[in-house]
Amino acid sequence: MARIELTHVTKRWGGFYAVDDLNLVIEDNAFVTLLGPSGCGKTTTLRMIAGLETPTTGRITIDGVTVFDSDAGINVPANKRRVGFLFQNYALWPNMTVYQNIAFGLGNIKEAGISVSEDGEIIRNEKSTEAPRKLTKAEIGRIVERVSKIVKIQPFMDRYPSELSGGQQQRVAIARTLAPGPRVLFMDEPLSNLDAKLRLEMRSELQRLHLSTGSTFVYVTHDQMEAMTLATRICLIANGVLQQYDEPLTVYDRPNNTFVADFVGNPAVNFIEARETAQDGSVTLTMLEGQKFRFTPNEPLNTAAWFDEADREINEFASKQRPVPKANEDKPFNYQIARVNDVSGETAEPGREDWVIGIRPEFVMITPEGSVEGEIFSAMPTGMETTVRIRVGNLLLTSVMFGGVTYPIGQKIRLNFTGNNVMLFSRQNGRLAARGTLEKL
């Protein structure tokens, strides 16, 4: 168990900033997922904490101990950080049994003040003055028995990896990682080699494992479903920059910007461009090809003051002193508007009156009393729910209708935007200004 703290951690190669001034606190016993697209810096972050990659600048502490500090010249090697690492590849010894694979690393442990309890848990006395010693065969046996019970592989201890399924091999790899008693368990997309059904099963196993071990888990993935279902907190990164660090449902319901809103959620969020025409407690918008709507924020919104604060924060980040200019410069997220036919041509630079409405598919409700007219563009039933694409003029909206219901393509329907989780983003900076309700005027 350990608390991890990253302070102004940067990793760059020349002018390419893989991780850019990252500040992050991972609490003891947390299950944190590092989420983002390929090349965003999540694996680099994981490797820096584990000691497999050296940061360019910054400081990292694990369980109150500084393991890296660029100013103080501290860089504790990976094998001294007492962390476990689980990769995509199980990397099991094919000529060893399950028991031998789990026990292999334990024979190399030589520490002062180390002992093993009767139930197989390693106990370390950091202040011991005894001479370093190795674990006995009996102690190793107790440890192997304990971790094999945790991951439920006791019946397979005499088998070889080739005699196991993919899920069973993954359990062996997890047991081998847990056996030395790491303070932190790092996982780099460990389920990517499994089929969809087995991935779902292993997610459940990892949740149970986290609870039973009480360890701190740091998990890298580009799969937002894995991040949402496993994590106690999600750390979402883009272009090496932290975009949001919150609990999964907070990231889903209150994304900081259009990138976060788009990356998290399946089916993806609906983006609709809108233009403000008036404001008096609520915001009057023209959207959906000329239709008028009223957006009423859940909390009072002063857009002028909000823009001033957003501009201050953006300028503060842009003016940060870097020893080398950032070659992979940060650019506004290019959100996609779903259309039947692409629209080409020059678009004007957005101003403060230009907004983007974000609506999750479950809040696009098909109902005979709906105020917006549409037409079924496609309908994909899965039994529990049906994902529907609705044409409104040249725009396409995605709706999720729960229950065994389907719609013929071309059917005329009516819809409403329900709930108070409609999101109002600025087109100018991409940030979330407010959440609220949306109704047609």
Side-chain angles (χ1 to χ4, degrees), residues 298-345:
N298 296 335
E299 299 175 358
L301 173 65
N302 182 324
T303 55
W306 180 84
F307 270 110
D308 289 342
E309 177 62 19
D311 288 346
R312 185 192 63 77
E313 292 178 1
I314 291 169
N315 292 333
E316 184 178 296
F317 183 81
S319 63
K320 282 184 179 180
Q321 295 297 316
R322 293 186 175 92
V324 178
K326 190 173 183 179
N328 52 320
E329 59 181 295
D330 302 309
K331 298 179 181 178
F333 174 64
N334 185 23
Y335 59 85
Q336 298 297 310
I337 302 293
R339 294 185 173 91
V340 179
N341 300 303
D342 290 336
V343 177
S344 58

Side-chain angles (χ1 to χ4, degrees), residues 272-274 286-291 293 372 392 395 397 415 417:
I272 309 169
E273 291 182 343
T286 300
M287 51 185 276
L288 290 178
E289 301 183 346
Q291 300 184 57
F293 287 82
V372 179
V392 179
L395 300 174
L397 302 179
L415 63 90
F417 303 122

Side-chain angles (χ1 to χ4, degrees), residues 23 60 434:
N23 293 284
I60 301 173

Side-chain angles (χ1 to χ4, degrees), residues 171-230:
R171 286 185 172 93
V172 176
I174 293 171
R176 182 184 57 190
T177 306
L178 290 175
R183 293 183 292 188
V184 186
L185 183 59
F186 296 110
M187 291 173 279
D188 189 359
E189 304 202 41
L191 309 185
S192 60
N193 292 334
L194 305 178
D195 61 50
K197 185 176 181 181
L198 198 50
R199 278 203 305 273
L200 185 62
E201 181 182 326
M202 286 304 299
R203 285 179 202 161
S204 174
E205 291 294 329
L206 286 174
Q207 270 192 336
R208 186 186 60 80
L209 182 68
H210 175 247
L211 184 64
S212 62
T213 61
S215 298
T216 302
F217 282 19
V218 184
Y219 187 104
V220 164
T221 183
H222 64 269
D223 185 333
Q224 54 98 8
M225 282 299 293
E226 279 187 9
M228 289 290 293
T229 53
L230 287 174

Side-chain angles (χ1 to χ4, degrees), residues 47 49-53 75-85:
R47 289 173 61 84
I49 302 172
L52 302 177
E53 195 76 60
N75 189 13
V76 177
N79 63 334
K80 300 294 184 183
R81 297 191 185 188
R82 267 188 52 208
V83 298
F85 217 119

Side-chain angles (χ1 to χ4, degrees), residues 279-299:
Q279 183 180 155
D280 56 348
S282 61
V283 183
T284 303
L285 301 167
T286 300
M287 51 185 276
L288 290 178
E289 301 183 346
Q291 300 184 57
K292 296 282 188 181
F293 287 82
R294 177 188 292 113
F295 175 83
T296 304
N298 296 335
E299 299 175 358

